[in-house]
C-alpha cells in the first residue's frame, strides 16, 4: 500500500500553475489512467501526485483538521496536493525533495493523516543522515532528480 501525505498550502494555487511546475521536473510522467496528475520516478523511488484531492470533510472532522493545520500553517488552508508515495526509502526521499521545492514556491505544511508537520519538521524526518528513529540511516539514498535540477545537489 502506498503512503499518503497531503501538502496543505495557505496560497490558492491555480491548477495550471501547479501542472506547469510538475511538468518541468526531471522524471515527470503523466498518469495514463488519469487518476493522478502525474508521477515522479527516479528509477529508485517514485510517487504519484494529484492536485486538490477530492476530500469531503464537514462538521467536526473539518473543524479538527483545520484546528491542527492553522497553528503550523499560520492561516487557513487554501489548496491541497496529494502525494501517494512508494514504500521504499528512496521514494520517501524523492517525495521529501519534492516537498522542499514545492514549499519554496507555495508555503505549506505536511499532513500525514495522523500528524501535521511544518516543512522543516517533515524534512528532518526524511533527512538522508537520519532514520525516523533519529539513528543514522544504513541505506544510501539516491540523489533525486529534483534536487539535481534545482542545483541543491552537486553531481
Amino acid at each position: 500500500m502506498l503512503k499518503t501525505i497531503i501538502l496543505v498550502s495557505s496560497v490558492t494555487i491555480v491548477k495550471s500553475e501547479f501542472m506547469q511546475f510538475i511538468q518541468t521536473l526531471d522524471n515527470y510522467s503523466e498518469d495514463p489512467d488519469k487518476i493522478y496528475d502525474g508521477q515522479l520516478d527516479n528509477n529508485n523511488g517514485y510517487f504519484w501526485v494529484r492536485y486538490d484531492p477530492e476530500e469531503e470533510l464537514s462538521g467536526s472532522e473539518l473543524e479538527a483538521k483545520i484546528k491542527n493545520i492553522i497553528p503550523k500553517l499560520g492561516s487557513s488552508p487554501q489548496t491541497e496536493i496529494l502525494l501517494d508515495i512508494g514504500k521504499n526509502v528512496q521514494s520517501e526521499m524523492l517525495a521529501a525533495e519534492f516537498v522542499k521545492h514545492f514549499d519554496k514556491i507555495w508555503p505549506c505544511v505536511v499532513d500525514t493523516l495522523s500528524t501535521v508537520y511544518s516543512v522543516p519538521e517533515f524534512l528532518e524526518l526524511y533527512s538522508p543522515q537520519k532514520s525516523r528513529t533519529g539513528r543514522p540511516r544504513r541505506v544510501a539514498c539516491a540523489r533525486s532528480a529534483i534536487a539535481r535540477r534545482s542545483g541543491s545537489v552537486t553531481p
Side-chain angles (χ1 to χ4, degrees), residues 29 31 35 62-63 91 93-95 105:
S29 60
D31 176 17
I35 296 169
L62 176 60
E63 195 175 298
S91 294
M93 298 301 293
L94 183 62
I105 300 170

Side-chain angles (χ1 to χ4, degrees), residues 96-108:
E97 284 295 321
F98 179 85
V99 169
K100 182 169 76 175
H101 296 290
F102 179 91
D103 184 59
K104 287 179 184 176
I105 300 170
W106 300 291
C108 66

Side-chain angles (χ1 to χ4, degrees), residues 32-143:
D33 298 326
K34 303 295 181 199
I35 296 169
Y36 297 93
D37 293 312
Q39 176 185 12
L40 278 97
D41 179 346
N42 69 358
N43 296 325
N44 295 311
Y46 68 94
F47 66 92
W48 297 94
V49 62
R50 187 175 73 201
Y51 173 88
D52 198 19
E54 296 175 9
E55 184 176 343
E56 295 295 326
L57 295 179
S58 61
S60 61
E61 190 178 7
L62 176 60
E63 195 175 298
K65 182 175 181 171
I66 289 175
K67 182 178 147 187
N68 291 328
I69 289 174
I70 288 178
K72 297 237 182 217
L73 190 58
S75 62
S76 296
Q78 299 298 316
T79 306
E80 293 185 340
I81 306 295
L82 177 129
L83 276 63
D84 278 336
I85 306 166
K87 296 181 204 179
N88 64 19
V89 172
Q90 292 84 0
S91 294
E92 292 174 349
M93 298 301 293
L94 183 62
E97 284 295 321
F98 179 85
V99 169
K100 182 169 76 175
H101 296 290
F102 179 91
D103 184 59
K104 287 179 184 176
I105 300 170
W106 300 291
C108 66
V109 295
V110 181
D111 183 357
T112 64
L113 307 180
S114 62
T115 306
V116 175
Y117 294 100
S118 67
V119 170
E121 291 169 335
F122 180 77
L123 294 176
E124 180 65 23
L125 290 174
Y126 294 99
S127 131
Q129 296 81 23
K130 293 184 181 178
S131 70
R132 284 184 223 119
T133 62
R135 289 177 278 187
R137 286 194 188 272
R138 294 180 191 259
V139 177
C141 298
R143 292 182 184 150

